[in-house]
Amino acid sequence: VIQQALQLCGIRPDDDEALVFEGLTDASWISRPLKVWIETSGIKKHITFHCGRHSYASLLLENGVDIYTIKSLMGHTNVKTTQIYTHIVNEQKEKAANTLHIENLDL
């Protein structure tokens, strides 16, 4: 997956001091390439940068990445901020478990 990210972002300059997103004037700038990536992928839903970060963290957690690694990747200073995502994943697990029903089970 990191190769996909590198392809989307482009090749990083050799200069370690160079900015990853040259010309970034304000936080809304990232929405421009994000919009292109979303349209290219065929997604019709309105997705913001915040939604993308949220999905990124949730998907990492759902795929078994530990909370401290996610904390680091998200740039959170406190793991409590990252723990918000565990609540969402736990709700999904509970919902999935509650879809099972065994007929004729006497309890």
Side-chain angles (χ1 to χ4, degrees):
V1 175
I2 189 115
Q3 287 302 323
Q4 290 176 331
L6 290 171
Q7 288 173 343
L8 288 170
C9 291
I11 296 174
R12 177 151 170 76
D14 290 332
D15 180 6
D16 287 340
E17 298 297 317
L19 299 174
V20 174
F21 297 106
E22 189 71 46
L24 183 63
T25 55
D26 58 60
S28 67
W29 181 89
I30 194 63
S31 296
R32 284 182 235 144
L34 180 63
K35 183 178 180 181
V36 172
W37 300 337
I38 291 167
E39 288 174 358
T40 302
S41 66
I43 297 171
K44 304 292 184 216
K45 182 179 177 183
H46 174 71
I47 298 176
T48 64
F49 181 73
H50 178 75
C51 288
R53 279 182 54 86
H54 183 82
S55 295
Y56 176 67
S58 297
L59 288 168
L60 289 171
L61 193 58
E62 287 174 14
N63 284 285
V65 177
D66 70 274
I67 195 83
Y68 294 100
T69 300
I70 297 170
K71 173 193 165 290
S72 177
L73 290 168
M74 296 294 289
H76 295 156
T77 55
N78 191 319
V79 76
K80 287 187 178 195
T81 306
T82 315
Q83 287 174 330
I84 294 166
Y85 301 103
T86 62
H87 175 71
I88 295 162
V89 172
N90 288 339
E91 283 178 5
Q92 290 173 334
K93 288 179 183 178
E94 184 176 338
K95 185 178 178 181
N98 287 331
T99 62
L100 299 176
H101 181 75
I102 301 171
E103 299 292 329
N104 302 322
L105 183 64
D106 294 325
L107 294 178

